[in-house]
Amino acid sequence: MHKDKLMNTRILKHSLLAGFFAAFTFLAHDASAQTNVATLSYKIVEQWSIPNGGFGKAIVVNKPNPTEQELRALGEKLKQETKGD
């Protein structure tokens, strides 16, 4: 029973993170990076396989309060980097 609960918690956590990543990418879809906006750097803190292919990733950025423009630029960068996933 404990293993089932642990597995369900892990699946829920990954689903939520994947949903956040998908929403973030969707919001960044129409954004274009501006030359005067510094690009945020990021670190992948967790990665997992998605059943239908590709990967889900949890990331952290190097700035506590990034602007909307910075987040959109990062979303566009992530979108380009994950095209082959």
Side-chain angles (χ1 to χ4, degrees):
M1 180 72 175
H2 179 67
K3 281 186 177 183
D4 290 340
K5 192 172 190 179
L6 183 61
M7 182 60 90
N8 287 340
T9 302
R10 191 169 190 199
I11 290 170
L12 177 61
K13 179 179 134 186
H14 286 175
S15 296
L16 289 172
L17 289 172
F20 173 78
F21 184 74
F24 184 77
T25 302
F26 176 77
L27 291 173
H29 181 317
D30 293 328
S32 60
Q34 297 180 359
T35 56
N36 63 345
V37 175
T39 302
L40 291 175
S41 63
Y42 69 93
K43 180 179 179 182
I44 299 171
V45 293
E46 189 172 359
Q47 181 172 323
W48 60 93
S49 296
I50 296 173
N52 63 344
F55 299 95
K57 298 174 185 171
I59 64 169
V60 293
V61 296
N62 64 331
K63 187 176 177 183
N65 296 308
T67 65
E68 181 180 347
Q69 289 177 333
E70 290 170 324
L71 289 172
R72 288 183 179 276
L74 178 59
E76 193 61 33
K77 179 180 178 181
L78 291 168
K79 181 180 169 185
Q80 295 300 317
E81 290 177 356
T82 58
K83 277 187 176 180
D85 284 1

